Amino acid sequence: MSSPRPSPPTTPGRPRPRDDRPVHGSGPSADVSPARRRPAPRWWAELPLIALVYAAYSGGRLLVAGGTGSAVAHGEAIVRLEHTLRISPEHALNQLFTHQAWLGVPACFAYATLHYVITPAVLVWLWRRHSGSYLYMRTWLMISTLLGLIGFSLLPTAPPRLLPAAAGFQDTMAHFSHLGWWGADASAPQGLGGMTNQYAAMPSLHVGWALWCGVMLWRYAENRVLRVAGLAYPVAITFVVLGTANHYLLDAVAGVAVMIVGLLLTRPARHLTARVRSRFARRAAPAAVPAPPALVPAPRPAPGPADPPVAATPAAVAGPAPASPAGR
């Protein structure tokens, strides 16, 4: 009997890579178990796809840029609903961030930067270090982004900072615009505000993307500091978007809901993609041509126990016997 194989040595205090563990059941990890792990796709195949989704996200925001009247009405309706539910921390946070520069200025930089830096950085890190999980998690992010685009299109919503003055909000980023590269148009660089849609507050993809980044860091980072940062990042971004009057609390809740729905749709989307790809591969594959029969000699059967070899007799070798004289 062979002895069991020794387990590989591990460094004390250092967790094993999380996507090296066998996973059973459903969920994101089941799609990346060792038996089904695939190498990450090439960067030149991924970049155009991600760029296409981001272009659809940005372009979709611009398509609904003209409905300012309905967008303001939707924003005011959200304010009334939050007051009815007694969940409206935006006013207090907005006053704090606007009057306390040590909070407001870092929050403005975070809002104008991290959304476009941290998310791509986590994507690249996941692609390089955890390729077995990359496709599944990238699909989750893309589906959730497209769901957010549908929300922008169906429900254009003015952020708190663009509501009438009677609503009591102040534009924190406009207040501190002389300290950064943004102007009075939220995170858009100065002079480029007309190229963005400022009425796309519902849902908050700032919160949604931050939640995705946090889950990736918590799940796959081996460094404890990074894992703690994964927990803190979406919470910090939620305070940032509320304090700078760029989103309502219900926008943040909707951003989390979009990410949950996107996660639930990821596995069916992956299966559908695999089926479509398999069908196209079968159609594109050339039909197999059978070999000519003459080139494949039939095998000679070996004698079995029921068919003993027959020895040749002298008569069979000499040929037929001559006829007798009586028969002539």
Side-chain angles (χ1 to χ4, degrees), residues 146-171:
L146 294 177
L147 291 176
L149 172 59
I150 295 174
F152 299 153
S153 303
L154 298 181
L155 192 68
T157 305
R161 63 186 180 80
L162 293 182
L163 293 182
F169 292 101
Q170 299 185 52
D171 193 337

Side-chain angles (χ1 to χ4, degrees), residues 172-190:
T172 306
M173 298 193 72
H175 183 73
F176 292 114
S177 60
H178 62 286
L179 298 175
W181 60 83
W182 59 87
D185 303 307
S187 59
Q190 297 185 21

Side-chain angles (χ1 to χ4, degrees), residues 4-217:
R5 296 176 60 187
S7 58
T10 57
T11 304
R14 181 182 179 90
R16 296 178 63 184
R18 303 178 76 84
D19 52 346
D20 285 343
R21 300 180 301 175
V23 181
H24 304 282
S26 59
S29 298
D31 193 63
V32 294
S33 59
R36 303 175 59 184
R37 189 179 303 157
R38 299 177 180 177
R42 303 295 184 184
W43 64 267
W44 44 261
E46 280 296 295
L47 281 182
L49 179 61
I50 296 175
L52 178 63
V53 173
Y54 183 78
Y57 161 67
S58 301
R61 288 163 58 100
L62 292 175
L63 290 177
V64 295
T68 59
S70 61
V72 171
H74 293 154
E76 292 174 334
I78 291 177
V79 171
R80 291 193 297 269
L81 178 59
E82 288 188 354
H83 280 297
T84 302
L85 298 175
R86 297 183 179 181
I87 50 167
S88 54
E90 298 94 328
H91 282 95
L93 288 174
N94 180 229
Q95 294 293 325
L96 178 64
F97 278 52
T98 304
H99 293 93
Q100 299 294 329
W102 65 275
L103 281 175
V105 173
C108 291
F109 276 96
Y111 185 85
T113 306
L114 299 185
H115 184 60
Y116 308 102
V117 174
I118 298 296
T119 308
V122 172
L123 262 175
V124 173
W125 169 74
L126 197 65
W127 173 68
R128 290 179 60 88
R129 299 291 301 274
H130 302 277
S131 60
S133 304
Y134 171 79
L135 287 175
Y136 195 99
M137 298 306 180
R138 181 262 282 158
T139 305
W140 174 21
L141 180 64
M142 292 174 60
I143 291 177
S144 302
T145 301
L146 294 177
L147 291 176
L149 172 59
I150 295 174
F152 299 153
S153 303
L154 298 181
L155 192 68
T157 305
R161 63 186 180 80
L162 293 182
L163 293 182
F169 292 101
Q170 299 185 52
D171 193 337
T172 306
M173 298 193 72
H175 183 73
F176 292 114
S177 60
H178 62 286
L179 298 175
W181 60 83
W182 59 87
D185 303 307
S187 59
Q190 297 185 21
L192 300 179
M195 300 179 63
T196 63
N197 173 25
Q198 301 185 71
Y199 299 94
M202 173 68 76
S204 172
L205 286 185
H206 269 77
V207 173
W209 286 12
L211 176 62
W212 181 87
C213 293
V215 171
M216 297 303 101
L217 292 176

Side-chain angles (χ1 to χ4, degrees), residues 242-259:
L242 298 180
T244 56
N246 278 290
H247 286 284
Y248 310 93
L249 178 61
L250 289 181
D251 293 346
V253 173
V256 173
V258 161
M259 299 307 296

